[in-house]
Amino acid sequence: MTFTLYNYVLSGNCYKIRLLAALLDVQYGTVAVNFHPGGEHRQEPLLRLNPAGTLPIMVTSDQTLTETQAMLVWLAQHYDDSNSWWPIHDLDTLPTVIQWLGFANRLTSSIGALRQHTLLNKPADASTTRAAGIAALRELECRLAEQSIRGEQWLAGKSPTVADIACFPYTALSPDAGIENDDYPAIRSWLHSVRSLDGFITMPGIHELHQMRDPAGASAGTLRDHHG
Ligand SMILES: N[C@@H](CCC(=O)N[C@@H](CS)C(=O)NCC(=O)O)C(=O)O
């Protein structure tokens, strides 16, 4: 077995690992954790694996990882022979990748927290997390628009990296938190690029791209194609 993922199907962070594993065609074992309503991640025996009481947890043959972004790097290092997902030899791109891995934590603590508040009634300061989530989306939109002017469609460099996978789930899931992402064209185009990757898998709550409400409201409740 390559690794075991302690997994919750509705967790955006667990999904990052499932997604990159699917893109790299890696087989692995899962342990389903009753995150809600069971709260198993905050009890023994899981607390012994991760004292922080969070998911995902990845157990490999020689280590236990409890930070999602580190797990993405581990996966890419072990299973991406092209070294493009974690461009360890591209010293111009690597710092940018790390920058956006850090940014992914901001998406978790803003949109991720507000989504849990909205869907699972977890405590959160809704107006602060909402403002932080919108600020993060605006920042992401600026970056992706700049990249598009350079003729590049990914967060760092010319091909997708772990940074794109780290930032994808909570951006795509933002409507679950009550933050629409339709109004960000560069983000929409990037979401489409990620969804188009060979081997892409989805998760509940990630909406089909190109399906947007008619802005004029002419045909309320219907969806229309919006190819960008
Ligand atoms: N630092 C962790 C945080 C992950 C995280 O926040 N996970 C959420 C689920 S997506 C969690 O377990 N939250 C604990 C809780 O809400 O009880 C990482 O990035 O891997």
Side-chain angles (χ1 to χ4, degrees):
M1 187 59 64
T2 48
F3 67 91
T4 300
L5 178 69
Y6 287 75
N7 184 46
Y8 178 57
V9 76
L10 296 181
S11 153
N13 280 307
C14 293
Y15 169 57
K16 294 176 193 177
I17 308 307
R18 301 196 301 268
L19 175 56
L20 186 58
L23 294 171
L24 295 175
D25 199 20
V26 181
Q27 308 298 314
Y28 58 97
T30 54
V31 174
V33 177
N34 183 341
F35 182 92
H36 182 84
E40 281 177 358
H41 57 300
R42 292 176 180 268
Q43 301 164 30
E44 295 296 344
L46 287 194
L47 274 186
R48 224 170 301 144
L49 285 177
N50 180 11
T54 59
L55 291 181
I57 302 169
M58 175 192 265
V59 179
T60 74
S61 58
D62 56 5
Q63 61 187 325
T64 298
L65 295 175
T66 58
E67 288 297 327
T68 311
Q69 275 61 252
M71 298 173 208
L72 294 174
V73 171
W74 184 92
L75 262 176
Q77 258 190 321
H78 284 79
Y79 297 103
D80 171 27
D81 293 337
S82 70
N83 287 320
S84 66
W85 286 96
W86 174 243
I88 188 80
H89 302 302
D90 180 351
L91 297 185
D92 290 331
T93 304
L94 198 58
T96 310
V97 172
I98 296 170
Q99 168 93 3
W100 290 97
L101 290 180
F103 179 86
N105 287 327
R106 280 176 52 199
L107 291 171
T108 298
S109 62
S110 56
I111 296 172
L114 186 58
R115 176 173 169 266
Q116 282 202 32
H117 177 67
T118 309
L119 298 182
L120 307 178
N121 216 16
K122 294 240 177 164
D125 178 339
S127 64
T128 305
T129 47
R130 183 179 166 78
I134 290 170
L137 286 190
R138 287 183 178 157
E139 204 172 318
L140 188 63
E141 173 72 11
C142 282
R143 169 68 184 175
L144 291 165
E146 280 168 13
Q147 286 293 87
S148 142
I149 289 164
R150 286 192 196 100
E152 293 178 4
Q153 58 180 329
W154 306 105
L155 276 172
K158 297 187 191 323
S159 59
T161 67
V162 291
D164 297 286
I165 303 306
C167 292
F168 176 77
Y170 289 114
T171 305
L173 290 167
S174 72
D176 271 359
I179 300 176
E180 293 303 325
N181 56 31
D182 283 348
D183 291 337
Y184 301 93
I187 286 180
R188 274 202 348 244
S189 161
W190 169 76
L191 292 175
H192 176 58
S193 299
V194 175
R195 291 181 64 98
S196 303
L197 289 167
D198 229 15
F200 176 86
I201 56 167
T202 191
M203 72 166 274
I206 292 190
H207 307 289
E208 290 293 316
L209 270 187
H210 309 311
Q211 293 187 334
M212 297 176 59
R213 274 195 196 86
D214 186 332
S219 42
T222 62
L223 301 171
R224 66 176 182 140
D225 277 350
H226 193 97
H227 293 277

